[in-house]
Amino acid sequence: AQTVTQSQPEMSVQEAETVTLSCTYDTSESNYYLFWYKQPPSRQMILVIRQEAYKQQNATENRFSVNFQKAAKSFSLKISDSQLGDTAMYFCAFMKGGGGADGLTFGKGTHLIIQP
Amino acid sequence: NAGVTQTPKFRILKIGQSMTLQCTQDMNHNYMYWYRQDPGMGLKLIYYSVGAGITDKGEVPNGYNVSRSTTEDFPLRLELAAPSQTSVYFCATELAGEGETQYFGPGTRLLVL
């Protein structure tokens, strides 16, 4: 079984600053995928970014990028030019590869607060 | 295109009561999932389905049942509700494939008193 650990329960930064959220995972799988989901107060789960483990290149989506360190089993999320709308819970999640319906394994989340 | 819809949005149950949480999708996705989210925690997988007529247990299936008679619908049944089932329940869908993105419904908040 795999585990996902987010060691920062809460973070607070000023608007326009850059913030990095940490995530580590443990797995014996070689084929897997990693995700960051955002959950605003509305509770809707919104995909932020996705990374294939077989790709060395770090994924980017506009202001969001990841630092994927496969050997260290680390998958951090960097948010540049943070905005008030980025205030939310952020969850790191793991999915085993192979095409099966294995579901996602989530970390406990990091509550990110963007201060005006 | 509604995506993934869940009903009800909120429900209060008494201990021992039963109810069905509804999940419907219009994306023609093969895979469907039920998760629960307890306060201060990430989501945990309850049950999943790879297609009509096929379901399987996830990490926390006790106290729940599911069925999948159509591609669109994946209801979650709670029998004999207990306070430990107080949670937010999310349904998700995924187009069958390798590492595909899961799309989540808005959630159902359930309070068992």
Side-chain angles (χ1 to χ4, degrees):
Chain A
Q2 38 279 335
T3 59
V4 177
T5 302
Q6 294 179 248
S7 58
Q8 304 152 312
E10 185 170 290
M11 296 186 71
S12 180
V13 298
Q14 297 293 123
E15 193 176 5
E17 289 184 345
T18 294
V19 59
T20 299
L21 308 183
S22 301
C23 172
T24 59
Y25 59 95
D26 190 24
T27 184
S28 58
E29 302 288 334
S30 57
N31 180 21
Y32 54 88
Y33 300 80
L34 296 164
F35 303 81
W36 279 98
Y37 277 87
K38 171 184 178 181
Q39 187 179 44
S42 66
R43 285 204 304 267
Q44 180 70 51
M45 296 292 287
I46 302 164
L47 178 68
V48 175
I49 201 163
R50 171 180 174 273
Q51 175 78 44
E52 297 93 334
Y54 61 84
K55 286 188 177 179
Q56 290 188 333
Q57 186 173 7
N58 289 325
T60 62
E61 287 287 342
N62 301 313
R63 299 183 294 109
F64 299 88
S65 61
V66 298
N67 183 4
F68 175 46
Q69 301 289 327
K70 191 171 184 178
K73 294 181 180 174
S74 170
F75 183 60
S76 61
L77 174 71
K78 186 172 86 170
I79 306 174
S80 303
D81 186 27
S82 58
Q83 300 173 0
L84 296 179
D86 295 334
T87 292
M89 287 292 294
Y90 286 81
F91 292 96
C92 179
F94 174 102
M95 178 190 285
K96 195 167 66 171
D102 298 297
L104 291 161
T105 300
F106 286 87
K108 289 185 178 181
T110 296
H111 185 205
L112 176 64
I113 300 168
I114 308 300
Q115 305 275 9
Chain B
N1 212 1
V4 183
T5 58
Q6 291 184 239
T7 56
K9 290 183 180 178
F10 175 62
R11 181 78 182 268
I12 299 174
L13 275 184
K14 293 183 179 178
I15 295 171
Q17 287 185 323
S18 301
M19 77 165 292
T20 299
L21 283 67
Q22 302 291 346
C23 175
T24 300
Q25 56 116 346
D26 63 0
M27 297 185 287
N28 203 32
H29 285 177
N30 302 80
Y31 295 172
M32 295 187 75
Y33 303 85
W34 276 106
Y35 294 89
R36 60 177 285 173
Q37 183 180 26
D38 298 331
M41 302 291 286
L43 283 67
K44 291 188 177 181
L45 184 64
I46 306 172
Y47 269 96
Y48 65 93
S49 169
V50 299
I54 307 170
T55 63
D56 209 345
K57 296 177 180 178
E59 183 184 355
V60 289
N62 292 344
Y64 307 94
N65 275 301
V66 293
S67 59
R68 183 103 180 264
S69 56
T70 66
T71 299
E72 294 77 20
D73 299 304
F74 189 40
L76 177 72
R77 178 84 178 161
L78 278 72
E79 304 283 1
L80 299 174
S84 61
Q85 293 177 304
T86 292
S87 193
V88 179
Y89 292 84
F90 288 94
C91 178
T93 71
E94 177 191 329
L95 181 64
E98 179 71 18
E100 292 294 332
T101 298
Q102 290 190 9
Y103 296 88
F104 286 82
T108 293
R109 183 169 166 239
L110 178 65
L111 186 59
V112 182
L113 299 174

